[in-house]
Amino acid sequence: SDVETDPPMAAFESALGQFGTACVSLTVAKKIEKVARFQRFAYQTGTISGLSADANARATSELAATGDRAVAEARKANGGPCMAGAKSCAYFVASLDKRACVPGLVCLRQVWGLLPAGANDSEGVVDALPIDALTGRVVPLRRVLPSSGTAAFLTGLNAAVQKELAAGGIGDDPMWDANVRLKDVHAWLPQPDGIHVWFERYAVAPGSFGIVHVVVPWPAGTPRVTAAA
């Protein structure tokens, strides 16, 4: 009911969110396969537990789909021959971990690196899954970033990217003049110290920078309780 004596829902949602985030666990299993032309083809699969049965199943399914995409991409990139007649020359390694997260969400991350057969440069990708602790579903950025905070977030994001560019020796270069928009964000996680953002290689900086990772401070007034109603 909505009588005056009822406790505020915000307190209940906060407690529920903290429970879901604190008790969830990620169980990781290593997978090593023999794939033609690969010296190493190793990745990890994960199982989520500690939430409701339905949420565990959905979260595990989301994690599996992300891993399957990475493995498929690695297999697809295995079309070329090795140089100098070598039988094996490629590498694919992927790992999973659980990160600190804001109440109500579970932060999962997959990091993978790929050196395709015949290539002389590797690729790296970070995939992130901010998962609702109640439903097990991946949530969109707007879930933790209301429209009123978007402008402040983008200002902080562009400033963080510019700082990374400057640290790498790139100053006022129009080629890499950061004008990052929400659609440029490849992966993100809402962690206590800010919104962590990862960009694909070449998205905001030269390839020598690899994967660009920045942390954007939470815009003022952004709610931290994000458990579903």
Side-chain angles (χ1 to χ4, degrees):
S1 67
D2 292 324
V3 297
E4 187 175 352
T5 55
D6 282 347
M9 285 300 296
F12 169 77
E13 290 183 349
S14 177
L16 184 60
Q18 290 170 359
F19 172 81
T21 303
C23 294
V24 70
S25 62
L26 169 66
T27 302
V28 174
K30 295 181 179 179
K31 304 288 184 179
I32 299 177
E33 298 183 12
K34 291 185 178 180
V35 179
R37 291 182 289 276
F38 273 85
Q39 291 190 33
R40 184 169 179 79
F41 196 98
Y43 57 96
Q44 295 180 332
T45 59
T47 303
I48 303 300
S49 60
L51 307 177
S52 70
D54 287 345
N56 287 335
R58 289 194 191 100
T60 297
S61 178
E62 295 277 9
L63 191 57
T66 299
D68 289 346
R69 285 193 295 271
V71 171
E73 186 70 20
R75 293 184 183 280
K76 184 179 178 181
N78 192 25
C82 293
M83 297 180 180
K87 292 184 178 180
S88 60
C89 57
Y91 288 87
F92 171 68
V93 179
S95 62
L96 300 172
D97 66 352
K98 183 168 71 73
R99 313 284 288 178
C101 209
V102 296
L105 296 182
V106 179
C107 289
L108 305 176
R109 186 184 66 165
Q110 174 180 261
V111 181
W112 56 277
L114 169 66
L115 176 64
N120 54 17
D121 194 11
S122 61
E123 305 171 17
V125 176
V126 172
D127 292 314
L129 293 90
I131 290 182
D132 189 308
L134 295 182
T135 67
R137 294 189 174 93
V138 174
V139 301
L141 182 56
R142 64 177 179 273
R143 172 73 174 276
V144 300
L145 186 68
S147 57
S148 60
T150 300
F153 171 75
L154 287 175
T155 297
L157 182 61
N158 278 279
V161 170
Q162 285 290 353
K163 184 177 179 180
E164 287 295 309
L165 290 172
I170 296 181
D172 296 328
D173 186 341
M175 180 69 180
W176 301 107
D177 183 18
N179 184 23
V180 181
R181 293 168 289 180
L182 290 179
K183 69 177 184 178
D184 299 320
V185 172
H186 172 72
W188 66 278
L189 285 177
Q191 299 191 228
D193 61 338
I195 302 177
H196 288 239
V197 174
W198 291 267
F199 296 96
E200 292 183 308
R201 192 179 183 190
Y202 297 106
V204 296
S208 59
F209 280 64
I211 299 171
V212 175
H213 165 236
V214 299
V215 181
V216 183
W218 286 97
T222 303
R224 297 295 190 278
V225 179
T226 53

